[in-house]
Amino acid sequence: AKYPKHKQLLVQKAKERNINLLLMPPGMHRHQMNKTTKYDTKKDTIFWKVEFIFHCIFKGETKGEGDNNHGDETVNDKPHKKIVLTVDRVPELDELSKHLSTIFKRHVSHSAPSETRSALKHFRNAANEIKDNVIMLMKKIPCKSSEPKYSRVDVNRNMCDILKGSSIIEFPTVDVVLEQDLENFPLIIQEIK
């Protein structure tokens, strides 16, 4: 598909940053969702739409009040709920943790759906910061959908560093899981600590 000049420039600038940005054809859902990933020529900055998927995997326990079965799935025969939240226009040099705090502040208020509030309490502390036992992951692209592979994301790094050397489709998606649920997300063999 032929893309407008601003989209071609975005792909080129991502490539200069060692990020393989793949665009979907214009009619595809993910492409239509992506209205805020842009390259700002005056600031020489890419602003990203970032999708966060918070995975709540219940291990033989009952779910909290206010939860319903709408949208539930199973992971290794365990009930699994996904809460998908997005942040628009994340500057490439901003630390990811800054925008997670914004998500928490926005979605723990009483105006947010109770299902979202109750799910997010597992991932945040009282100061609306990410808890120590929370792991951020990004799916490796390309990979078989039947055998996904993930790499860890350091929330204290900026988007440019996080995305360097990776391929993304339209915008980055970050999977947020609790440490005890990490077994459900096969990791790529990666850096030595």
Side-chain angles (χ1 to χ4, degrees):
K2 182 87 170 145
Y3 293 98
K5 292 240 184 267
H6 71 278
K7 288 285 189 180
Q8 292 176 29
L9 182 61
L10 171 64
V11 170
Q12 176 191 338
K13 292 300 181 177
K15 187 177 218 105
E16 287 174 11
R17 290 156 171 80
N18 195 21
I19 301 166
N20 184 21
L21 175 60
L22 306 170
L23 298 179
M24 301 288 288
M28 301 296 283
H29 179 70
R30 191 164 178 94
H31 182 78
Q32 292 174 339
M33 286 175 41
N34 187 18
K35 300 292 182 214
T36 57
T37 295
K38 302 217 183 308
Y39 173 72
D40 185 324
T41 53
K42 291 179 184 170
K43 296 179 182 176
D44 187 29
T45 301
I46 296 177
F47 291 89
W48 294 99
K49 172 186 182 128
V50 182
E51 179 179 66
F52 293 92
I53 303 176
F54 294 85
H55 295 271
C56 301
I57 300 173
F58 305 97
K59 296 183 176 168
E61 58 197 53
T62 57
K63 293 180 275 183
E65 289 181 35
D67 289 335
N68 61 32
N69 290 328
H70 180 70
D72 287 356
E73 300 175 15
T74 59
V75 172
N76 296 338
D77 297 324
K78 299 174 195 127
H80 175 221
K81 181 176 295 297
K82 291 193 276 189
I83 304 292
V84 179
L85 302 172
T86 59
V87 179
D88 292 325
R89 296 192 49 82
V90 174
E92 65 183 329
L93 296 179
D94 275 10
E95 288 183 359
L96 196 55
S97 57
K98 173 183 172 184
H99 297 280
L100 273 168
S101 291
T102 303
I103 279 183
F104 290 146
K105 288 174 189 160
R106 186 180 325 141
H107 291 283
V108 297
S109 70
H110 290 291
S111 62
S114 62
E115 187 174 330
T116 302
R117 282 195 322 264
S118 67
L120 289 182
K121 74 181 177 193
H122 301 289
F123 300 96
R124 68 175 184 87
N125 62 23
N128 284 323
E129 296 167 344
I130 201 85
K131 285 183 176 178
D132 290 338
N133 68 332
V134 174
I135 309 290
M136 305 284 182
L137 305 168
M138 281 185 65
K139 191 183 292 185
K140 181 186 180 315
I141 296 172
C143 73
K144 293 181 184 178
S145 60
S146 60
E147 297 174 20
K149 299 286 183 207
Y150 296 86
S151 58
R152 286 184 187 237
V153 172
D154 180 353
V155 294
N156 296 314
R157 292 176 64 202
N158 63 48
M159 289 305 300
C160 195
D161 288 344
I162 290 169
L163 297 175
K164 194 172 290 183
S166 64
S167 294
I168 57 170
I169 300 172
E170 291 285 342
F171 52 87
T173 297
V174 178
D175 291 279
V176 185
V177 299
L178 297 175
E179 199 166 26
Q180 67 261 22
D181 297 329
L182 196 56
E183 66 197 37
N184 300 301
F185 297 86
L187 291 177
I188 300 168
I189 298 173
Q190 53 189 354
E191 70 276 353
I192 300 169
K193 297 186 179 192

